[in-house]
Amino acid sequence: MEATRIPLVAGNWKMNFDHLEATYFVQKLTWLLRDAHFDYTRCEVALMPSFTSLRSVQVLVEADKLRIRYGAQSVSVTTQGAFTGDVSADMLARLGCSYVIVGHSERRKYHPEDDANIVDQVRAVLAAGMRPILCVGESFEERRQGIELEFAVGQVRDVTRDLSDTQASQLIIAYEPVWAIGTGMVATPQTAQDAAQAFRDELRESFGAQVADSVRILYGGSVTSGNASQLIEQKDVDGFLIGGASLDVEELSRIARLTVKKTR
Ligand code: 13P
């Protein structure tokens, strides 16, 4: 990968861990990484807890001056008002969030989140000074039809089409093929590379080389310490969005350490 793109290992906890478990996890992860002399300048580590844990994580990170970052798993498209149950981007920014996952396939499936809503989420996150982690990826059906790249690149295009160059440069894209999420069926390194390269080509066409070379493209879907090394070796893969394996603190610290090692 380009030396200018610092890899990112992001744990998407989904609906797991209450705030006490989250606090314990963050402490343990940072101890493990400290003991391993982990170099945060060569790999960023971020956690995406539930909304209910964010304040606890913020207090811990600020009090102990921890180097890990954190973010949210979704966001409202509106700024305030009568939207029962929603959480605004400004509220997340005030909690010290660096990132917000946008368009995860589980959100697209279980909530009415279509491309228009996802575009608005991206804009809301950017306006609040955070970075969206935009999730895209084909289902098994598109792969069976051989249109997987067309489909996933189309998702990137649909969401980014009206962004400015500056806005696009703030994006992180996560290639998460739906068939690989939580199934143990990880994409091959070549499949991950092909998708990441196709996204970068699309960004180059729309926003120019500078944006294309700076946007980090993650892979997500059944990542473990057993497959992370080969995946991160791919030129256009800049890190991981990790579900199941991010719930095991030893495993997540192993993946982060492998990601550092393979990047220089
Ligand atoms: P798994 O790592 O459990 O396959 O989940 C991936 C994911 O959905 C991350 O956002």
Side-chain angles (χ1 to χ4, degrees), residues 122-153:
V122 166
R123 288 183 181 282
V125 172
L126 290 169
M130 300 175 290
R131 288 173 181 256
I133 301 180
L134 170 64
C135 297
V136 297
E138 81 284 0
S139 68
F140 182 72
E141 183 51 27
E142 284 101 27
R143 176 151 287 270
R144 196 187 61 76
Q145 291 176 32
I147 56 165
E148 64 276 7
L149 283 185
E150 208 180 310
F151 179 85
V153 171

Side-chain angles (χ1 to χ4, degrees), residues 135-180:
C135 297
V136 297
E138 81 284 0
S139 68
F140 182 72
E141 183 51 27
E142 284 101 27
R143 176 151 287 270
R144 196 187 61 76
Q145 291 176 32
I147 56 165
E148 64 276 7
L149 283 185
E150 208 180 310
F151 179 85
V153 171
Q155 286 180 310
V156 172
R157 191 181 305 124
D158 287 347
V159 174
T160 58
R161 100 170 66 236
D162 293 326
L163 298 182
S164 68
D165 292 2
T166 312
Q167 287 175 317
S169 71
Q170 299 302 304
L171 278 179
I172 292 166
I173 298 176
Y175 172 57
E176 296 212 318
V178 178
W179 50 267

Side-chain angles (χ1 to χ4, degrees), residues 19-93:
H19 70 290
L20 298 174
E21 292 165 320
T23 304
Y24 176 70
F25 189 108
V26 171
Q27 281 172 327
K28 181 132 194 230
L29 179 64
T30 49
W31 290 335
L32 286 171
L33 293 176
R34 189 193 55 201
D35 288 352
H37 305 290
F38 186 78
D39 185 352
Y40 289 92
T41 66
R42 292 177 55 194
C43 177
E44 232 182 277
V45 179
L47 295 171
M48 312 292 153
S50 300
F51 289 136
T52 52
S53 297
L54 282 171
R55 176 64 181 153
S56 304
V57 172
Q58 178 189 31
V59 167
L60 183 59
V61 166
E62 288 183 358
D64 292 355
K65 298 190 172 35
L66 303 179
R67 306 273 308 269
I68 67 155
R69 298 211 163 117
Y70 54 91
Q73 300 172 16
S74 182
V75 67
S76 172
V77 298
T78 47
T79 51
Q80 63 171 35
F83 300 99
T84 302
D86 283 353
V87 174
S88 77
D90 280 343
M91 291 171 181
L92 298 175

Side-chain angles (χ1 to χ4, degrees), residues 10-14 101 104-106 135 174 176-185 219-224 240-247:
N12 174 11
W13 282 351
K14 308 190 179 183
I101 297 174
H104 192 283
S105 59
E106 287 151 15
C135 297
E176 296 212 318
V178 178
W179 50 267
I181 295 177
T183 60
M185 291 197 297
Y219 167 77
S222 299
V223 172
T224 66
F240 304 112
L241 186 55
I242 306 166
S246 77
L247 301 175

Side-chain angles (χ1 to χ4, degrees), residues 199-221:
F199 299 161
R200 216 176 288 293
D201 289 346
E202 168 64 27
L203 292 172
R204 191 171 295 110
E205 215 166 282
S206 303
F207 303 104
Q210 208 175 338
V211 171
D213 289 341
S214 65
V215 167
R216 285 178 290 182
I217 300 176
L218 314 182
Y219 167 77

